């Protein structure tokens, strides 16, 4: 090649007989490339003496030391849900130790999605931590296609291809319902998380599992979908009471929804736990300040954030392969049950 014509990613792709996305994945250390394609790309890179420029940069030794924490939710959700605050604390504390710059990005509309795409395409960040993953969200697939190291909080489904850190959502929910069954409750309703999220489906699956283990029938009228908000919890509780006025317990898939359920139970003059026992999920600071204090499933949210940061650092700095981690949960019994 002429000395004054610098090889491009397109040149490498043509020489290796692969697409540009494959070249991008190889130079970014992604494991989503076959051994044969990787070998051909590396041979082409060596033959052409190709070095990615500042835009197409991807060599592990040429980092920005910046990562994006991407939350596709509104400011109101970010401010009202203790989960996000605890996760951010965990992530930021881990990156503070390695002097990595953390960029918080809310993706609420197309303009902000375009901004994220530009940051990724121009490699202004070494990797992405993606929180609050919904089934229809195109962001995980986009990041995967661009070959940028990505770690999810949770997963899209059981066949997730990207790295993720998850809590034992099904196991924690099952433990909550077993506790209620052991206390003699037999008409246990549930307020689920969004069912387009694995976390919502998994906690519902745990509710079902505990019933099946105990030989207690489950009915669809005892299930109401929520949205992880206090208002959503109150609305769901109201609908459950209308459909099943004889319910004697409710498992809410988040503490914030449990707070809404408690408020609706008070309005309906149901005593907690005498008439209706209530269990939440997370063990946020809210759980210790409800009336009565809330029995809940503790998930280690700060540890989840720290683990996400560690995995992303392992990938971006050391070329580590994909990692998928599930953290244990623990039932914390208080007066609401």
């Amino acid at each position: 090649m002429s000395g004054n014509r610098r090889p491009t990613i397109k040149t490498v792709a043509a020489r290796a007989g692969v697409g540009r996305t494959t070249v991008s994945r190889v130079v970014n250390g992604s494991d989503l490339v076959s051994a044969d394609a990787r070998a051909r790309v590396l041979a082409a890179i060596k033959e052409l003496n190709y070095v990615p420029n500042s835009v197409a940069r991807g060599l592990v030794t040429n980092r920005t030391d910046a990562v994006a924490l991407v939350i596709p939710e509104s400011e109101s959700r970010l401010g009202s849900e203790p989960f996000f605050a605890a996760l951010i604390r965990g992530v930021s504390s881990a990156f503070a130790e390695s002097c990595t710059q953390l960029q918080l990005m809310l993706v609420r509309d197309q303009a902000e999605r375009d901004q994220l795409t530009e940051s990724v395409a121009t490699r202004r960040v070494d990797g992405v931590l993606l929180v609050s993953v919904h089934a229809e969200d195109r962001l995980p697939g986009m990041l995967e296609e661009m070959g940028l190291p990505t770690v999810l909080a949770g997963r899209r489904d059981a066949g997730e291809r990207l790295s993720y850190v998850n809590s034992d959502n099904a196991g924690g929910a099952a433990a909550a319902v077993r506790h209620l069954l052991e206390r003699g409750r037999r008409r246990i309703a549930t307020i689920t998380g969004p069912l387009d999220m694995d976390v919502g489906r998994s906690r519902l699956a745990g509710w079902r599992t505990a019933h099946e283990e105990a030989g207690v029938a489950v009915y669809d009228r005892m299930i109401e979908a929520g949205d992880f908000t206090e208002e959503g919890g109150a609305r769901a509780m109201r609908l459950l009471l209308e459909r099943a006025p004889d319910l004697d317990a409710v498992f809410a898939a988040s503490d914030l929804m449990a707070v809404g359920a408690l408020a609706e139970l008070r309005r309906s003059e149901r005593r907690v736990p005498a008439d209706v026992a209530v269990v939440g999920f997370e063990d946020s600071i809210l759980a210790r300040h409800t009336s009565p204090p809330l029995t809940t499933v503790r998930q280690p949210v700060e540890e989840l954030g720290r683990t996400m940061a560690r995995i992303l650092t392992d990938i971006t700095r050391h070329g580590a392969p994909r990692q998928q981690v599930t953290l244990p949960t623990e039932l914390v019994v208080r007066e609401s049950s």
Side-chain angles (χ1 to χ4, degrees):
M1 173 165 290
S2 172
N4 60 2
R5 293 197 59 189
R6 183 176 179 177
T8 66
I9 195 169
K10 183 177 180 181
T11 315
V12 174
R15 180 64 59 92
V18 299
R20 282 177 287 182
T21 298
T22 299
V23 176
S24 177
R25 286 176 174 170
V26 171
V27 298
N28 279 288
S30 170
D31 59 354
L32 299 172
V33 181
S34 70
D36 176 65
R38 185 183 302 278
R40 284 187 281 131
V41 169
L42 292 175
I45 287 173
K46 183 177 181 181
E47 182 181 346
L48 296 169
N49 196 26
Y50 169 70
V51 178
N53 61 25
S54 60
V55 172
R57 183 204 60 80
L59 294 176
V60 174
T61 55
N62 187 11
R63 301 186 306 265
T64 66
D65 288 326
V67 301
L69 174 59
V70 179
I71 303 178
E73 300 286 357
S74 65
E75 299 102 319
S76 60
R77 290 290 293 273
L78 187 66
S80 65
E81 294 188 29
F83 172 85
F84 292 121
L87 185 85
I88 292 169
R89 283 197 302 273
V91 169
S92 60
S93 66
F95 282 136
E97 298 169 2
S98 61
C99 299
T100 299
Q101 180 186 4
L102 181 63
Q103 300 177 10
L104 177 62
M105 301 182 71
L106 302 184
V107 179
R108 297 156 293 190
D109 54 31
Q110 189 58 47
E112 290 175 340
R113 186 181 295 271
D114 291 343
Q115 181 183 358
L116 172 62
T117 302
E118 182 184 358
S119 292
V120 170
T122 57
R123 291 299 189 262
R124 291 202 291 266
V125 293
D126 294 329
V128 169
L129 303 174
L130 183 57
V131 181
S132 194
V133 181
H134 294 260
E136 76 282 1
D137 194 341
R138 299 192 306 274
L139 283 175
M142 180 195 80
L143 295 168
E144 183 180 15
E145 282 299 314
M146 300 185 82
L148 190 74
T150 301
V151 181
L152 307 180
R155 60 188 187 180
R156 288 170 287 184
D157 53 49
E160 181 60 69
R161 298 180 301 274
L162 295 171
S163 294
Y164 67 77
V165 184
N166 204 19
S167 295
D168 182 10
N169 293 301
V177 178
R178 287 190 201 104
H179 164 73
L180 292 168
L181 290 165
E182 289 165 2
R183 294 291 173 95
R185 311 291 170 153
R186 287 297 179 271
R187 298 178 299 281
I188 305 169
T190 184
I191 302 172
T192 76
L195 295 178
D196 67 339
M197 300 179 72
D198 179 79
V199 60
R201 297 190 299 273
S202 294
R203 292 177 189 176
L204 175 59
W207 175 84
R208 291 185 183 278
T209 296
H211 280 87
E212 291 166 1
E213 289 174 349
V216 177
V218 296
Y219 301 98
D220 287 345
R221 71 173 183 275
M222 306 296 278
I223 303 169
E224 185 60 41
D227 58 2
F228 288 145
T229 69
E230 182 177 351
E231 295 78 11
R235 178 194 60 80
M237 190 74 255
R238 185 164 57 253
L239 293 172
L240 287 167
L241 288 170
E242 291 171 0
R243 285 203 304 269
D246 62 340
L247 64 83
D248 60 9
V250 60
F251 164 61
S254 78
D255 287 352
L256 200 55
M257 292 195 299
V259 169
L262 287 169
E264 186 61 32
L265 289 167
R266 281 194 297 272
R267 282 192 289 271
S268 302
E269 299 183 346
R270 307 293 180 100
R271 297 168 299 164
V272 176
D275 299 324
V276 180
V278 179
V279 178
F281 201 114
E282 188 176 332
D283 195 29
S284 65
I285 192 171
L286 296 173
R288 295 182 287 281
H289 297 286
T290 58
S291 180
L294 183 67
T295 294
T296 186
V297 178
R298 176 179 295 154
Q299 63 169 344
V301 182
E302 288 195 35
E303 179 60 26
L304 191 150
R306 285 192 292 270
T307 305
M308 290 177 69
R310 176 187 59 74
I311 290 174
L312 189 60
T313 299
D314 285 347
I315 295 170
T316 58
R317 297 197 175 189
H318 309 299
R322 179 187 67 179
Q323 298 180 52
Q324 298 182 336
V325 176
T326 298
L327 300 177
T329 54
E330 174 189 2
L331 182 69
V332 180
V333 178
R334 299 191 180 96
E335 286 87 336
S336 71
S337 63

